[in-house]
Amino acid sequence: MKKTLFSLAALASLAFAAPTAYNYEVTPTIGGVLPEGNLDLKSQLTYGLRFGINLDNTIINQVELGYDRSDNVDYKAGRTDSTDFNRYYANLVKEYKITPEAALYALVGLGYEDVTNAQLENRDSMFAQYGGGVKYWVTDNFALKAEVRHAIKFQGGDNEMFYSLGFTIPFGAKSAPVAVVKPEPKPAPVVVKAPIDSDGDGVTDDKDKCPNTPKGTVVDADGCPKIIRLHVQFDFDKSTVKPAFMPEIQKVADFMKQNPGYSVVLEGHTDSKGSDAYNMKLSDQRAKAVAKALESLGVSAAKVTTEAFGESKPVASNDTDAGRAENRRVDAVFKK
């Protein structure tokens, strides 16, 4: 039975590719049970399988269905017989993310325990349970779960403590929302002979690829905001700029020195891993770190401001490592 269970889990890990967001997960588990003393049972090994259904826009993150089995559990008190246990249960699960890779979770649920050889106070019974654990994503398609549960049987009110280790395989990628593409407005026919510059950015309308640029924005030859995109790599959960990336920041400093009448806005961005609040704070810290690096290169602090956008403005797909790397950036936007 155990060999079959883990063989199916191994095949599942090869069959399903884990997306950033997913609908379902399967978790094979192995652990132990500590029964209450008056049950006259020895501690036992248990193994099982969980199936989780993720929920959106609710206070509960997941509904979980589970099955655990214990084989040949010996009775105490000088008895020589033993029994098997089959346990079926359903849990409501609430997660509390602590880092992009790790989360604590709490659960509460109901179940049914089937005893194949009912002796003493050990009989078939419903039970209630509660517990918690920690979940850690080792890769995008593999997570570890360590958990402790306490179960109270309705028959006699006896208690059992469960502890387990499992590994989670996600599947059922959620469809990305389809972006609504707005048709670009057709330019009105020019009735005057001389070309005009409607948005006042210095590029006439017949050459302006970005009409209605906000006043004061520095633009390139096509009339679009001049942006220097900095892909400065930071250590996990850090905002310190490494010396290896100072040449990228030097490009912004050189431009500012060549154009002393300009100021710069440093816009911080992240990929989609982590919560919105976590990513907003991280993008702000990293934009400010680049601002300090600019000041060390001789750019006046009065000419540098920062804005944080978190994960709200991706320039690539967050479903791949390469796309997420593109989205972890600081953009330098210039103003007059």
Side-chain angles (χ1 to χ4, degrees), residues 16-25 54 56 170-176 319:
F16 302 120
T20 302
Y22 60 94
N23 291 306
Y24 312 105
E25 65 182 36
N54 291 334
D56 292 326
F171 63 98
K174 293 185 178 179
S175 300
D319 291 336

Side-chain angles (χ1 to χ4, degrees), residues 4-16 167 169:
T4 301
L5 179 63
F6 286 107
S7 296
L8 289 173
L11 289 173
S13 66
L14 295 174
F16 302 120
F167 62 90
I169 305 153

